[in-house]
Amino acid sequence: MTVDTDWYDILSSFRAVGGIADNVVLRVENGRRGLFPIVPDQPFKLFVPDTVLVDSDQFELRGSQLVLAKTADVLPKVRAFIDDYNARISWKGGRAEAENFLVGLYKLPDELRNLLKDKFYFRNIFEKPTDAQILAQFISSRHYQHNGRNVSFAFFELLNHHPKGFSFKSTDKGVLLKGSSQSEILASYNASDAWTRFVNYGFPCRERRAFSDLYSVTTRDGARTINVRNATHETNLTDDKSSVPQISQTGSKVDISFLLLGDRADPMIPVNNFRKHVRPTLGKGSDEFFETLSHINKMKFWKLYNICSRHNGPMVENIKLACQFQLEALNFAWFGNWVPTDDN
């Protein structure tokens, strides 16, 4: 493993604007950047103050460099730190990651490109990527929901993702991450499923949950239309602190912000949540709606997986993995007392 040569200079500047980075270092391992504890198994702490958390739409390209927009309302020393951090750490390595993802999609066979465009919401990325598209991909894969804002945050975006990684904590003064780790410090970015993770971040990952894709379904007699979105951030909290979808009804039309279809850790949760929080709005006999959405989602990803099987290449393999992980999670939904072990 090698330590990034600019790390300690940037670390000093970060602390000068109120940031905390204790027992952490940026290293490259097997071609991938990540944060590691300097002393394994000892506590680490990362804290980014509110003054350094800038809305993610406040960045622009000036020449080939990523900088804060002139309209960004930050202190001069914070602006200097963020621009220097992007030039020497974040954009320096992150631009290539964003570009490689877009170029990989651009070079896919026409059969796959057309399916992804028509059915999987990849609409504007099948031409040779422009600087604007690379910037948009870079920003979208590195922002964080903090107190109702989408913010870009230094240092935290260097942490690689794992579903069981450490969780960010929003406070009234900034964002905090702390704990101890024997090896690389991994973070759980947010609640997502394997396919959404791939679309937004560009890598396949075996996630705990699977959510329904966007669908609008109408009953055979046309009496009711149900619209399911994939807005997992639009939630209501139950008495036991579980997150359930927001549901609204206007006449014969029902809108559901998201629908959980699979959960590896507890396959009873999707069915129980549906019956307790969604079925009261849809009425008796609506269990078939859950089964219908589950079937439609599985068939959609099986089709994509099968088409991928006819082609080769690194991006094709990543899409296949994302499909595989999504299909696996979609199958973890049943009503009963049997729970899989952690190694499943």
PDB file of all heavy atoms in Angstrom, residues 316-335:
ATOM      1  N   VAL A 316     -19.813  -5.006 -18.879  1.00  0.00           N
ATOM      2  CA  VAL A 316     -20.837  -6.058 -18.967  1.00  0.00           C
ATOM      3  C   VAL A 316     -20.815  -6.921 -17.704  1.00  0.00           C
ATOM      4  O   VAL A 316     -21.871  -7.249 -17.144  1.00  0.00           O
ATOM      5  CB  VAL A 316     -20.631  -6.934 -20.220  1.00  0.00           C
ATOM      6  CG1 VAL A 316     -21.593  -8.125 -20.215  1.00  0.00           C
ATOM      7  CG2 VAL A 316     -20.817  -6.117 -21.487  1.00  0.00           C
ATOM      8  N   GLU A 317     -19.627  -7.273 -17.246  1.00  0.00           N
ATOM      9  CA  GLU A 317     -19.513  -8.095 -16.036  1.00  0.00           C
ATOM     10  C   GLU A 317     -20.041  -7.353 -14.818  1.00  0.00           C
ATOM     11  O   GLU A 317     -20.681  -7.951 -13.941  1.00  0.00           O
ATOM     12  CB  GLU A 317     -18.055  -8.522 -15.830  1.00  0.00           C
ATOM     13  CG  GLU A 317     -17.540  -9.501 -16.869  1.00  0.00           C
ATOM     14  CD  GLU A 317     -18.418 -10.747 -16.968  1.00  0.00           C
ATOM     15  OE1 GLU A 317     -18.731 -11.332 -15.906  1.00  0.00           O
ATOM     16  OE2 GLU A 317     -18.786 -11.129 -18.085  1.00  0.00           O
ATOM     17  N   ASN A 318     -19.798  -6.042 -14.741  1.00  0.00           N
ATOM     18  CA  ASN A 318     -20.320  -5.262 -13.618  1.00  0.00           C
ATOM     19  C   ASN A 318     -21.843  -5.198 -13.651  1.00  0.00           C
ATOM     20  O   ASN A 318     -22.511  -5.277 -12.608  1.00  0.00           O
ATOM     21  CB  ASN A 318     -19.739  -3.848 -13.642  1.00  0.00           C
ATOM     22  CG  ASN A 318     -18.333  -3.791 -13.083  1.00  0.00           C
ATOM     23  OD1 ASN A 318     -17.907  -4.681 -12.353  1.00  0.00           O
ATOM     24  ND2 ASN A 318     -17.606  -2.749 -13.419  1.00  0.00           N
ATOM     25  N   ILE A 319     -22.413  -5.045 -14.830  1.00  0.00           N
ATOM     26  CA  ILE A 319     -23.874  -5.027 -14.949  1.00  0.00           C
ATOM     27  C   ILE A 319     -24.452  -6.382 -14.549  1.00  0.00           C
ATOM     28  O   ILE A 319     -25.462  -6.463 -13.841  1.00  0.00           O
ATOM     29  CB  ILE A 319     -24.286  -4.656 -16.385  1.00  0.00           C
ATOM     30  CG1 ILE A 319     -23.874  -3.214 -16.701  1.00  0.00           C
ATOM     31  CG2 ILE A 319     -25.799  -4.809 -16.568  1.00  0.00           C
ATOM     32  CD1 ILE A 319     -24.102  -2.810 -18.141  1.00  0.00           C
ATOM     33  N   LYS A 320     -23.814  -7.464 -14.991  1.00  0.00           N
ATOM     34  CA  LYS A 320     -24.271  -8.807 -14.613  1.00  0.00           C
ATOM     35  C   LYS A 320     -24.246  -8.983 -13.102  1.00  0.00           C
ATOM     36  O   LYS A 320     -25.187  -9.538 -12.508  1.00  0.00           O
ATOM     37  CB  LYS A 320     -23.398  -9.867 -15.277  1.00  0.00           C
ATOM     38  CG  LYS A 320     -23.702 -10.122 -16.739  1.00  0.00           C
ATOM     39  CD  LYS A 320     -22.744 -11.135 -17.345  1.00  0.00           C
ATOM     40  CE  LYS A 320     -22.866 -12.497 -16.712  1.00  0.00           C
ATOM     41  NZ  LYS A 320     -21.969 -13.495 -17.344  1.00  0.00           N
ATOM     42  N   LEU A 321     -23.168  -8.524 -12.463  1.00  0.00           N
ATOM     43  CA  LEU A 321     -23.078  -8.654 -11.006  1.00  0.00           C
ATOM     44  C   LEU A 321     -24.175  -7.854 -10.312  1.00  0.00           C
ATOM     45  O   LEU A 321     -24.802  -8.323  -9.356  1.00  0.00           O
ATOM     46  CB  LEU A 321     -21.709  -8.176 -10.521  1.00  0.00           C
ATOM     47  CG  LEU A 321     -20.614  -9.226 -10.394  1.00  0.00           C
ATOM     48  CD1 LEU A 321     -19.321  -8.580  -9.923  1.00  0.00           C
ATOM     49  CD2 LEU A 321     -21.022 -10.335  -9.428  1.00  0.00           C
ATOM     50  N   ALA A 322     -24.413  -6.621 -10.791  1.00  0.00           N
ATOM     51  CA  ALA A 322     -25.458  -5.795 -10.190  1.00  0.00           C
ATOM     52  C   ALA A 322     -26.817  -6.469 -10.340  1.00  0.00           C
ATOM     53  O   ALA A 322     -27.636  -6.474  -9.408  1.00  0.00           O
ATOM     54  CB  ALA A 322     -25.460  -4.407 -10.826  1.00  0.00           C
ATOM     55  N   CYS A 323     -27.075  -7.061 -11.512  1.00  0.00           N
ATOM     56  CA  CYS A 323     -28.324  -7.805 -11.723  1.00  0.00           C
ATOM     57  C   CYS A 323     -28.414  -9.003 -10.786  1.00  0.00           C
ATOM     58  O   CYS A 323     -29.460  -9.273 -10.180  1.00  0.00           O
ATOM     59  CB  CYS A 323     -28.408  -8.287 -13.162  1.00  0.00           C
ATOM     60  SG  CYS A 323     -28.789  -7.028 -14.380  1.00  0.00           S
ATOM     61  N   GLN A 324     -27.324  -9.746 -10.683  1.00  0.00           N
ATOM     62  CA  GLN A 324     -27.305 -10.930  -9.820  1.00  0.00           C
ATOM     63  C   GLN A 324     -27.607 -10.552  -8.377  1.00  0.00           C
ATOM     64  O   GLN A 324     -28.437 -11.192  -7.714  1.00  0.00           O
ATOM     65  CB  GLN A 324     -25.938 -11.611  -9.900  1.00  0.00           C
ATOM     66  CG  GLN A 324     -25.765 -12.781  -8.953  1.00  0.00           C
ATOM     67  CD  GLN A 324     -24.351 -13.312  -8.947  1.00  0.00           C
ATOM     68  OE1 GLN A 324     -23.680 -13.348  -9.977  1.00  0.00           O
ATOM     69  NE2 GLN A 324     -23.865 -13.706  -7.771  1.00  0.00           N
ATOM     70  N   PHE A 325     -26.946  -9.505  -7.882  1.00  0.00           N
ATOM     71  CA  PHE A 325     -27.160  -9.089  -6.498  1.00  0.00           C
ATOM     72  C   PHE A 325     -28.602  -8.611  -6.286  1.00  0.00           C
ATOM     73  O   PHE A 325     -29.210  -8.859  -5.244  1.00  0.00           O
ATOM     74  CB  PHE A 325     -26.186  -7.979  -6.125  1.00  0.00           C
ATOM     75  CG  PHE A 325     -24.741  -8.414  -6.115  1.00  0.00           C
ATOM     76  CD1 PHE A 325     -23.718  -7.492  -6.331  1.00  0.00           C
ATOM     77  CD2 PHE A 325     -24.387  -9.727  -5.878  1.00  0.00           C
ATOM     78  CE1 PHE A 325     -22.387  -7.888  -6.315  1.00  0.00           C
ATOM     79  CE2 PHE A 325     -23.061 -10.139  -5.861  1.00  0.00           C
ATOM     80  CZ  PHE A 325     -22.057  -9.210  -6.082  1.00  0.00           C
ATOM     81  N   GLN A 326     -29.152  -7.906  -7.280  1.00  0.00           N
ATOM     82  CA  GLN A 326     -30.532  -7.429  -7.167  1.00  0.00           C
ATOM     83  C   GLN A 326     -31.503  -8.599  -7.151  1.00  0.00           C
ATOM     84  O   GLN A 326     -32.434  -8.646  -6.338  1.00  0.00           O
ATOM     85  CB  GLN A 326     -30.850  -6.489  -8.337  1.00  0.00           C
ATOM     86  CG  GLN A 326     -32.213  -5.827  -8.263  1.00  0.00           C
ATOM     87  CD  GLN A 326     -32.268  -4.688  -7.270  1.00  0.00           C
ATOM     88  OE1 GLN A 326     -31.298  -4.421  -6.559  1.00  0.00           O
ATOM     89  NE2 GLN A 326     -33.394  -4.020  -7.201  1.00  0.00           N
ATOM     90  N   LEU A 327     -31.287  -9.570  -8.021  1.00  0.00           N
ATOM     91  CA  LEU A 327     -32.170 -10.741  -8.078  1.00  0.00           C
ATOM     92  C   LEU A 327     -32.093 -11.561  -6.795  1.00  0.00           C
ATOM     93  O   LEU A 327     -33.118 -12.066  -6.306  1.00  0.00           O
ATOM     94  CB  LEU A 327     -31.803 -11.607  -9.284  1.00  0.00           C
ATOM     95  CG  LEU A 327     -32.254 -11.065 -10.643  1.00  0.00           C
ATOM     96  CD1 LEU A 327     -31.515 -11.759 -11.783  1.00  0.00           C
ATOM     97  CD2 LEU A 327     -33.762 -11.245 -10.806  1.00  0.00           C
ATOM     98  N   GLU A 328     -30.888 -11.696  -6.257  1.00  0.00           N
ATOM     99  CA  GLU A 328     -30.744 -12.436  -4.998  1.00  0.00           C
ATOM    100  C   GLU A 328     -31.587 -11.787  -3.908  1.00  0.00           C
ATOM    101  O   GLU A 328     -32.347 -12.459  -3.194  1.00  0.00           O
ATOM    102  CB  GLU A 328     -29.278 -12.469  -4.578  1.00  0.00           C
ATOM    103  CG  GLU A 328     -28.396 -13.381  -5.415  1.00  0.00           C
ATOM    104  CD  GLU A 328     -26.937 -13.268  -5.028  1.00  0.00           C
ATOM    105  OE1 GLU A 328     -26.625 -12.483  -4.100  1.00  0.00           O
ATOM    106  OE2 GLU A 328     -26.102 -13.951  -5.641  1.00  0.00           O
ATOM    107  N   ALA A 329     -31.470 -10.473  -3.763  1.00  0.00           N
ATOM    108  CA  ALA A 329     -32.189  -9.779  -2.693  1.00  0.00           C
ATOM    109  C   ALA A 329     -33.700  -9.813  -2.920  1.00  0.00           C
ATOM    110  O   ALA A 329     -34.474  -9.880  -1.959  1.00  0.00           O
ATOM    111  CB  ALA A 329     -31.703  -8.337  -2.582  1.00  0.00           C
ATOM    112  N   LEU A 330     -34.135  -9.756  -4.182  1.00  0.00           N
ATOM    113  CA  LEU A 330     -35.567  -9.802  -4.476  1.00  0.00           C
ATOM    114  C   LEU A 330     -36.204 -11.105  -4.013  1.00  0.00           C
ATOM    115  O   LEU A 330     -37.420 -11.160  -3.758  1.00  0.00           O
ATOM    116  CB  LEU A 330     -35.799  -9.628  -5.983  1.00  0.00           C
ATOM    117  CG  LEU A 330     -35.697  -8.208  -6.522  1.00  0.00           C
ATOM    118  CD1 LEU A 330     -35.662  -8.218  -8.046  1.00  0.00           C
ATOM    119  CD2 LEU A 330     -36.850  -7.346  -6.020  1.00  0.00           C
ATOM    120  N   ASN A 331     -35.435 -12.160  -3.890  1.00  0.00           N
ATOM    121  CA  ASN A 331     -35.970 -13.458  -3.472  1.00  0.00           C
ATOM    122  C   ASN A 331     -36.079 -13.609  -1.958  1.00  0.00           C
ATOM    123  O   ASN A 331     -36.609 -14.618  -1.484  1.00  0.00           O
ATOM    124  CB  ASN A 331     -35.107 -14.586  -4.044  1.00  0.00           C
ATOM    125  CG  ASN A 331     -35.397 -14.849  -5.499  1.00  0.00           C
ATOM    126  OD1 ASN A 331     -36.524 -15.188  -5.861  1.00  0.00           O
ATOM    127  ND2 ASN A 331     -34.407 -14.680  -6.353  1.00  0.00           N
ATOM    128  N   PHE A 332     -35.615 -12.617  -1.207  1.00  0.00           N
ATOM    129  CA  PHE A 332     -35.682 -12.692   0.247  1.00  0.00           C
ATOM    130  C   PHE A 332     -36.942 -11.976   0.732  1.00  0.00           C
ATOM    131  O   PHE A 332     -36.889 -10.879   1.293  1.00  0.00           O
ATOM    132  CB  PHE A 332     -34.432 -12.087   0.881  1.00  0.00           C
ATOM    133  CG  PHE A 332     -33.246 -13.008   0.864  1.00  0.00           C
ATOM    134  CD1 PHE A 332     -32.430 -13.084  -0.247  1.00  0.00           C
ATOM    135  CD2 PHE A 332     -32.948 -13.811   1.964  1.00  0.00           C
ATOM    136  CE1 PHE A 332     -31.331 -13.944  -0.278  1.00  0.00           C
ATOM    137  CE2 PHE A 332     -31.863 -14.665   1.937  1.00  0.00           C
ATOM    138  CZ  PHE A 332     -31.056 -14.734   0.819  1.00  0.00           C
ATOM    139  N   ALA A 333     -38.092 -12.603   0.508  1.00  0.00           N
ATOM    140  CA  ALA A 333     -39.370 -12.064   0.980  1.00  0.00           C
ATOM    141  C   ALA A 333     -40.351 -13.200   1.149  1.00  0.00           C
ATOM    142  O   ALA A 333     -40.743 -13.844   0.178  1.00  0.00           O
ATOM    143  CB  ALA A 333     -39.910 -11.031  -0.017  1.00  0.00           C
ATOM    144  N   TRP A 334     -40.703 -13.469   2.388  1.00  0.00           N
ATOM    145  CA  TRP A 334     -41.703 -14.493   2.651  1.00  0.00           C
ATOM    146  C   TRP A 334     -42.283 -14.259   4.043  1.00  0.00           C
ATOM    147  O   TRP A 334     -41.769 -13.477   4.838  1.00  0.00           O
ATOM    148  CB  TRP A 334     -41.108 -15.897   2.548  1.00  0.00           C
ATOM    149  CG  TRP A 334     -39.937 -16.191   3.445  1.00  0.00           C
ATOM    150  CD1 TRP A 334     -39.942 -16.458   4.778  1.00  0.00           C
ATOM    151  CD2 TRP A 334     -38.558 -16.251   3.035  1.00  0.00           C
ATOM    152  NE1 TRP A 334     -38.677 -16.682   5.240  1.00  0.00           N
ATOM    153  CE2 TRP A 334     -37.799 -16.563   4.192  1.00  0.00           C
ATOM    154  CE3 TRP A 334     -37.882 -16.074   1.829  1.00  0.00           C
ATOM    155  CZ2 TRP A 334     -36.409 -16.689   4.168  1.00  0.00           C
ATOM    156  CZ3 TRP A 334     -36.513 -16.205   1.808  1.00  0.00           C
ATOM    157  CH2 TRP A 334     -35.788 -16.512   2.971  1.00  0.00           C
ATOM    158  N   PHE A 335     -43.366 -14.939   4.321  1.00  0.00           N
ATOM    159  CA  PHE A 335     -44.016 -14.817   5.619  1.00  0.00           C
ATOM    160  C   PHE A 335     -43.742 -16.076   6.416  1.00  0.00           C
ATOM    161  O   PHE A 335     -44.242 -17.152   6.090  1.00  0.00           O
ATOM    162  CB  PHE A 335     -45.519 -14.615   5.446  1.00  0.00           C
ATOM    163  CG  PHE A 335     -46.211 -14.234   6.727  1.00  0.00           C
ATOM    164  CD1 PHE A 335     -46.151 -12.937   7.196  1.00  0.00           C
ATOM    165  CD2 PHE A 335     -46.894 -15.175   7.467  1.00  0.00           C
ATOM    166  CE1 PHE A 335     -46.785 -12.578   8.380  1.00  0.00           C
ATOM    167  CE2 PHE A 335     -47.524 -14.830   8.656  1.00  0.00           C
ATOM    168  CZ  PHE A 335     -47.469 -13.519   9.112  1.00  0.00           C
TER     169      PHE A 335
END
